[in-house]
């Protein structure tokens, strides 16, 4: 966990206390040694119909075993648990915490995540398995893309914030509606191509996926693009996040999740 001095130096976001207070409404548990928190929607109307599940994957600075900081360190952890959100879009929320020596994209963690999600869905029989959503930032977005690559028909939709992935196998991402968010001046996870060009940040990845999608359309196979915008990208120009919020441009989760558009779009998707 980052010290207060490190957080100040990086100009990390400081969540609203009212938002982080929601952490106490999440149940605390573990599954095969993996700590996780679970938000259960209020009894009554949400349980009269099949209810979506939202899976949240945190970033690298929230690794640990305390089963708390991944919900309280940043703005992103509890946004779907807000009262107004639950009134409009009641949902379960599953928020696991990654161990210090691991990363979400590693095979053991991917296996653990899928096992946890499946067990949680089996336990809560009112969950709509056609509306399992995924969102994550930084390491969480990197890991989220790795999950979608492995099981492209599992999630109904995803929000990937300041993430990246290897070019290899990226075509699988076309099978899941996805919205990417990234600041052009993100120095922690660059938005363009990294290394030898085989590791793609959101902007480079989106361009590559659109190329692949155009090839699919030319071949008369189903396209994910077009007016329905199942593949989306929002970028923040250099200096935009710092000027608007006074925080590091890596913190693209703040503007990405501040409004209603991304949340409404996520919940508009359903796995066929």
């Amino acid at each position: 966990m980052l010290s207060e001095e490190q957080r100040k130096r990086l100009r990390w976001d400081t969540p609203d206390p009212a938002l982080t207070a929601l952490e106490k409404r999440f149940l605390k548990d573990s599954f095969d040694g993996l700590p996780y928190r679970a938000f259960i929607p209020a009894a009554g109307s949400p349980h009269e119909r099949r209810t979506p599940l939202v899976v949240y994957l945190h970033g690298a600075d929230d690794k640990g075993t305390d089963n708390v900081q991944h919900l309280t360190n940043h703005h992103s952890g509890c946004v779907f648990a807000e009262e107004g959100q639950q009134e409009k879009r009641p949902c379960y929320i599953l928020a696991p915490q990654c161990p210090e020596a691991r990363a979400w994209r590693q095979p053991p963690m991917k296996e653990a995540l899928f096992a946890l999600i499946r067990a949680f869905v089996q336990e809560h029989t009112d969950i709509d398995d056609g509306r399992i959503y995924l969102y994550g930032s930084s390491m969480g977005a990197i890991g989220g893309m790795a999950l979608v690559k492995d099981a492209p028909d599992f999630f109904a939709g995803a929000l990937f914030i300041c993430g990246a992935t290897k070019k290899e196998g990226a075509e699988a991402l076309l099978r899941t509606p996805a919205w990417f968010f990234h600041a052009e001046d993100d120095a922690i996870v660059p938005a363009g191509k990294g290394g030898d060009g085989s590791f793609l940040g959101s902007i480079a990845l989106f361009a590559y996926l659109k190329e692949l999608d155009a090839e699919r359309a030319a071949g008369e196979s189903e396209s994910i693009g077009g007016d329905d915008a199942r593949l989306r990208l929002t970028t923040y120009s250099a200096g935009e996040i710092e000027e608007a919020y006074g925080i590091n441009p890596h913190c693209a989760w703040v503007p990405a999740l501040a409004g209603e558009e991304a949340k409404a779009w996520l919940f508009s998707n359903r796995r066929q």
Side-chain angles (χ1 to χ4, degrees), residues 137-155:
S137 56
S138 196
M139 181 190 73
I142 293 170
M145 289 185 220
L147 291 180
V148 172
K149 281 181 172 182
D150 282 1
D153 299 313
F154 186 85
F155 297 100

Side-chain angles (χ1 to χ4, degrees), residues 41-194:
S45 57
H47 292 269
E48 293 171 4
R49 58 186 181 278
R50 302 273 279 170
T51 307
L53 167 65
V54 176
V55 179
Y56 169 60
L57 299 183
H58 64 78
D61 66 322
D62 291 332
K63 291 181 183 182
T65 56
D66 73 334
N67 217 356
V68 174
Q69 67 191 41
H70 59 309
L71 291 180
T72 59
N73 260 4
H74 295 295
H75 168 83
S76 50
C78 296
V79 290
F80 285 97
E82 290 181 278
E83 185 175 347
Q85 290 299 316
Q86 284 291 315
E87 288 175 356
K88 288 179 283 191
R89 305 177 192 96
C91 64
Y92 287 87
I93 305 167
L94 193 56
Q97 186 177 31
C98 187
E100 285 283 359
R102 293 291 188 179
W104 293 129
R105 63 182 174 82
Q106 295 173 335
M109 295 312 301
K110 291 189 292 182
E111 292 173 10
L113 287 169
F114 277 125
L116 168 61
I117 295 167
R118 291 187 174 106
F120 191 80
V121 171
Q122 186 174 12
E123 179 183 357
H124 300 278
T125 57
D126 61 320
I127 289 177
D128 184 346
D129 61 6
R131 298 186 70 196
I132 299 176
Y133 303 117
L134 175 67
Y135 81 108
S137 56
S138 196
M139 181 190 73
I142 293 170
M145 289 185 220
L147 291 180
V148 172
K149 281 181 172 182
D150 282 1
D153 299 313
F154 186 85
F155 297 100
L159 305 177
F160 297 127
I161 306 168
C162 56
T165 194
K166 289 184 177 179
K167 189 174 184 178
E168 180 184 3
E171 63 276 2
L173 296 173
L174 287 169
R175 289 165 57 182
T176 299
W179 193 338
F180 303 89
F181 301 83
H182 221 127
E184 294 175 355
D185 53 344
D186 187 336
I188 296 175
V189 179
K193 295 181 180 180

